[in-house]
């Protein structure tokens, strides 16, 4: 920041110096102007000088001077009185030049002409010149600053993971202290994410060991003769162990997605066809009924593996909470395509919409064993959509239940 404010300070100082010099050159103070403002003092000084030995010669040495016979020059009565009192009489010619006349014996000494007109540059050009002298440097300085800010902004926008950020702007940049700070923060974030990765992996793997022991112990117990109630209790334990194993697996998958952006393998995928295939795979029986609306084919460039995972999570959620109908709408808006899934289930309260995509958040209406989940499905969907330079929102749909809309570009930027 010191470099930024230092450059601004130097520019202001230099601008003031240039402005002061330009004003002095373009609008100088004229000697005649000063004489007009101080004509009484000027007249007295010249009169006293003329009454000294060699006074006339000294006046001639400094000012244009002419000497006339007093009878050859006509003056008004008031001017005769001024001359008699050893005062100068001022007059002007057609060029607005000033003359001072003094009585010296029986002669009139006329001093002048002296220019008292305005500066020669009486036009708007000096203003434009001064404007250029000030605006061109500040324009250049602002351009360089804007260029560096744009580079920094682009680096932040394209950063999908901390290791992908490129905050280098060059040593000459005024934003160098800021980029240095961002690079230091980047290294700190990498260290924290690495620590999180190690902790998550270690905890998840440590969970698996006692879970395996519990499964083995339950299998050993089942070999003995047990009462019906004991078998029911063991079945509950098995379900709990299975749920814990699923949780560990989901935690590891989400931690990997949250930690880094994978390299996407783009290919042409028809989302309408892909969605229909997933519905056939996930739907059990005839209910809920799926209604496909909008475009009959939407081909885009995407990673089929991750897009399949995102659509599978959304369709699975819709099947869990729908009552009778699930509506799937495909829409093409310019270079963007939209996939909207709406169900007629219990829905999501509008005040809960900001919490939907947060990991491990399960709203009150979904906290039951049958419909369960760990609150990671929608968080994973949001990650995948963002990798494809798109967005997902929850909104008020055409049915009474929840409605999710995915928007992704047909051809994402590969930069």
């Amino acid at each position: 920041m010191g470099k930024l404010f230092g450059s601004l300070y130097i520019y202001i100082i230099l601008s003031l110096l240039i402005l002061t010099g330009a004003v002095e050159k373009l609008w100088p103070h004229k000697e005649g102007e000063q004489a007009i403002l101080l004509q009484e003092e000027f007249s007295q000084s010249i009169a006293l000088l003329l009454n000294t030995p060699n006074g006339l010669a000294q006046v001639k040495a400094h000012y244009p001077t002419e000497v006339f016979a007093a009878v050859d020059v006509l003056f008004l009565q008031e001017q005769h009185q001024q001359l008699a009192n050893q005062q100068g009489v001022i007059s002007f010619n057609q060029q607005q030049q000033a003359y001072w006349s003094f009585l010296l014996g029986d002669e009139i000494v006329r001093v002048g002409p002296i220019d008292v007109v305005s500066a020669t540059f009486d036009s708007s050009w000096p203003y434009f010149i001064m404007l250029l002298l000030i605006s061109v440097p500040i324009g250049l300085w602002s351009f360089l600053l804007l260029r560096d800010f744009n580079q920094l902004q682009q680096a932040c926008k394209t950063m999908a993971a901390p290791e992908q950020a490129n905050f280098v702007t060059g040593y000459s940049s005024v934003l160098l202290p800021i980029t240095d700070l961002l690079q230091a923060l980047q290294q700190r974030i990498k260290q924290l994410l690495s620590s999180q990765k190690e902790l998550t992996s270690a905890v998840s793997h440590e969970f698996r060991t006692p879970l395996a022991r519990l499964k083995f112990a339950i299998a050993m117990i089942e070999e003995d003769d047990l009462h019906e109630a004991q078998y029911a209790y063991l079945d509950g334990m098995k379900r709990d162990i299975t749920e814990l194993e699923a949780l560990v697996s989901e935690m590891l998958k989400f931690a990997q997605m949250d930690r880094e952006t994978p390299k996407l393998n783009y290919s042409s995928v028809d989302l309408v066809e892909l969605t229909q295939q997933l519905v056939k795979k996930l739907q059990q029986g005839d209910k809920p009924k799926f209604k496909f609306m909008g475009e009959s084919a939407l081909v885009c460039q995407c990673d089929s593996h991750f897009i399949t995972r995102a659509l599978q999570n959304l369709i699975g959620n819709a099947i869990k909470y729908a009552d009778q109908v699930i509506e799937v709408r495909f829409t093409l808006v310019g270079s963007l395509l939209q996939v909207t899934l709406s169900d007629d289930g219990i829905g999501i309260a509008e005040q809960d919409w900001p919490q939907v995509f947060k990991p491990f958040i399960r709203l009150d209406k979904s906290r039951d064993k049958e419909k369960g989940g760990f609150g990671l499905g929608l968080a994973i969907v949001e990650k995948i959509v963002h990798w494809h330079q798109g967005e997902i929102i929850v909104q008020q749909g055409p049915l009474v239940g929840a409605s999710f809309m995915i928007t992704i570009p047909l051809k994402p930027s590969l930069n």
Side-chain angles (χ1 to χ4, degrees), residues 84-242:
N85 293 333
Q86 296 296 314
Q87 295 180 359
V89 175
I90 188 170
S91 60
F92 297 90
N93 61 12
Q94 293 181 350
Q95 288 75 35
Q96 295 299 309
Q97 294 174 313
Y99 293 88
W100 276 266
S101 299
F102 300 90
L103 181 61
L104 184 62
D106 57 354
E107 295 179 328
I108 295 296
V109 177
R110 189 172 70 174
V111 179
I114 297 176
D115 289 330
V116 293
V117 295
S118 301
T120 305
F121 300 97
D122 188 16
S123 68
S124 59
W125 282 109
Y127 296 97
F128 287 110
I129 294 173
M130 293 176 59
L131 181 62
L132 286 175
L133 290 175
I134 296 174
S135 62
V136 170
I138 197 170
L140 179 61
W141 183 81
S142 301
F143 170 76
L144 296 176
L145 188 62
L146 179 63
R147 179 200 62 185
D148 294 338
F149 267 119
N150 286 337
Q151 291 179 356
L152 189 61
Q153 183 183 34
Q154 188 64 24
C156 294
K157 281 185 176 180
T158 57
M159 181 183 66
E163 61 273 10
Q164 296 178 352
N166 183 16
F167 297 120
V168 178
T169 56
Y171 181 76
S172 60
S173 171
V174 294
L175 300 182
L176 183 63
I178 299 178
T179 55
D180 288 343
L181 178 60
L182 289 175
Q183 287 176 345
L185 290 175
Q186 181 186 24
Q187 293 300 322
R188 178 59 178 163
I189 292 173
K190 286 182 180 180
Q191 293 175 1
L192 292 175
L193 290 177
S194 178
S195 300
Q196 180 196 31
K197 173 185 177 182
E198 294 175 0
L199 178 62
T200 304
S201 300
V203 171
S204 299
H205 287 295
E206 290 299 325
F207 260 117
R208 286 176 171 174
T209 301
L211 287 176
R213 291 174 184 160
L214 287 173
K215 291 175 68 176
F216 179 74
I218 290 174
M220 294 294 292
I221 292 174
E222 285 180 334
E223 293 182 358
D224 299 331
D225 293 332
L226 300 175
H227 300 295
E228 184 177 350
Q230 291 175 319
Y231 279 113
Y233 183 72
L234 288 178
D235 289 339
M237 292 178 62
K238 289 179 180 179
R239 287 193 297 270
D240 290 338
I241 292 173
T242 302

Side-chain angles (χ1 to χ4, degrees), residues 219-273:
M220 294 294 292
I221 292 174
E222 285 180 334
E223 293 182 358
D224 299 331
D225 293 332
L226 300 175
H227 300 295
E228 184 177 350
Q230 291 175 319
Y231 279 113
Y233 183 72
L234 288 178
D235 289 339
M237 292 178 62
K238 289 179 180 179
R239 287 193 297 270
D240 290 338
I241 292 173
T242 302
E243 184 178 352
L244 284 174
E245 288 180 330
L247 173 60
V248 170
S249 178
E250 286 294 306
M251 283 180 60
L252 287 174
K253 291 177 182 177
F254 181 77
Q256 183 180 8
M257 288 183 172
D258 192 45
R259 183 171 59 251
E260 58 187 12
T261 301
K263 180 176 177 58
L264 301 181
N265 297 315
Y266 288 100
S267 61
S268 297
V269 178
D270 186 342
L271 291 188
V272 178
E273 180 182 355

Side-chain angles (χ1 to χ4, degrees), residues 197-365:
K197 173 185 177 182
E198 294 175 0
L199 178 62
T200 304
S201 300
V203 171
S204 299
H205 287 295
E206 290 299 325
F207 260 117
R208 286 176 171 174
T209 301
L211 287 176
R213 291 174 184 160
L214 287 173
K215 291 175 68 176
F216 179 74
I218 290 174
M220 294 294 292
I221 292 174
E222 285 180 334
E223 293 182 358
D224 299 331
D225 293 332
L226 300 175
H227 300 295
E228 184 177 350
Q230 291 175 319
Y231 279 113
Y233 183 72
L234 288 178
D235 289 339
M237 292 178 62
K238 289 179 180 179
R239 287 193 297 270
D240 290 338
I241 292 173
T242 302
E243 184 178 352
L244 284 174
E245 288 180 330
L247 173 60
V248 170
S249 178
E250 286 294 306
M251 283 180 60
L252 287 174
K253 291 177 182 177
F254 181 77
Q256 183 180 8
M257 288 183 172
D258 192 45
R259 183 171 59 251
E260 58 187 12
T261 301
K263 180 176 177 58
L264 301 181
N265 297 315
Y266 288 100
S267 61
S268 297
V269 178
D270 186 342
L271 291 188
V272 178
E273 180 182 355
L274 177 61
T275 304
Q276 293 173 346
Q277 291 176 354
L278 289 174
V279 167
K280 292 179 182 179
K281 175 183 176 182
L282 298 174
Q283 188 179 24
Q284 302 293 330
D286 297 332
K287 292 187 178 180
K289 181 181 179 181
F290 277 84
K291 295 174 60 178
F292 293 92
M293 307 177 67
E295 303 287 339
S296 58
L298 278 180
V299 179
C300 70
Q301 296 294 317
C302 62
D303 188 302
S304 61
H305 169 72
F306 288 112
I307 286 295
T308 299
R309 176 73 181 274
L311 291 175
Q312 182 174 314
N313 285 2
L314 283 180
I315 294 171
N317 277 354
I319 291 175
K320 284 181 182 178
Y321 297 107
D323 186 14
Q324 297 291 331
V325 180
I326 297 175
E327 180 181 296
V328 185
R329 180 179 294 275
F330 301 95
T331 309
L332 181 62
V333 183
S335 62
L336 301 175
L337 61 85
Q338 295 176 343
V339 181
T340 307
L341 279 85
S342 306
D343 63 67
D344 61 347
I346 56 178
I348 302 173
E350 186 172 353
Q351 63 267 23
D352 294 330
W353 288 358
Q355 309 294 325
V356 168
F357 300 106
K358 293 183 179 180
F360 301 105
I361 296 295
R362 292 191 298 176
L363 305 179
D364 292 339
K365 294 179 181 180

